[in-house]
Amino acid sequence: MYWFHFSSDLLMPLFSLIGLLLIYFGFRTIRRHRYRKRHWVRTKGQIVDAHIEVDIDVVPFDRDDPVDTSYTRRLKVRFYTASGEAVEFWNPYSTNLSLNRVGSKIKVLYNPSTLGTPELQAV
């Protein structure tokens, strides 16, 4: 009837392992957030460019609309470090809804020891 039984001897260890992995990644994320909050520097940046990515999927079995199109935006941000050095980076994450326009200010969080990995701070 089903491809597995709830009384299987492998299900309890499998779901326990999955639960432990999720707990581990949750604590790891919290620890990384606290480290960044204590050691990284907050500053204001400015959006200097926005790139729109278009993803077109053709769904042949959808009779109403066979073409599924989605639009996402990536932001390029410029900020200045405490020493006055200008840093520009493309945000590695894109969004389908971005209320931030080119020229607007945005919060940036960066590691002073490695400027290659700045992040946009959630508002």
Side-chain angles (χ1 to χ4, degrees):
M1 185 169 173
Y2 294 108
W3 62 274
F4 67 90
H5 299 157
F6 284 109
S7 61
S8 173
D9 294 337
L10 296 177
L11 282 181
M12 189 170 74
L14 176 68
F15 286 129
S16 298
L17 179 65
I18 291 171
L20 288 174
L21 283 173
L22 290 174
I23 290 171
Y24 166 76
F25 285 119
F27 279 115
R28 182 175 162 228
T29 301
I30 291 170
R31 190 178 67 205
R32 288 175 65 191
H33 170 72
R34 287 182 179 170
Y35 175 82
R36 288 179 182 159
K37 191 174 179 182
R38 276 185 266 133
H39 298 291
W40 286 27
V41 178
R42 290 177 190 82
T43 187
K44 290 273 188 178
Q46 184 175 10
I47 299 173
V48 293
D49 195 7
H51 177 71
I52 297 176
E53 297 174 352
V54 180
D55 184 25
I56 300 174
D57 292 331
V58 177
V59 184
F61 300 112
D62 189 2
R63 303 270 186 229
D64 297 333
D65 187 16
V67 179
D68 183 23
T69 307
S70 64
Y71 300 93
T72 57
R73 291 182 71 211
R74 289 184 60 210
L75 302 176
K76 186 174 187 179
V77 178
R78 178 189 304 131
F79 70 95
Y80 294 94
T81 63
S83 62
E85 179 184 356
V87 177
E88 286 189 5
F89 72 99
W90 283 97
N91 187 19
Y93 308 108
S94 60
T95 178
N96 58 357
L97 175 64
S98 178
L99 301 176
N100 300 313
R101 304 288 178 231
V102 174
S104 63
K105 302 287 184 186
I106 194 164
K107 295 178 182 178
V108 177
L109 191 64
Y110 73 95
N111 188 349
S113 61
T114 58
L115 289 176
T117 59
E119 295 181 359
L120 295 182
Q121 187 176 357
V123 178

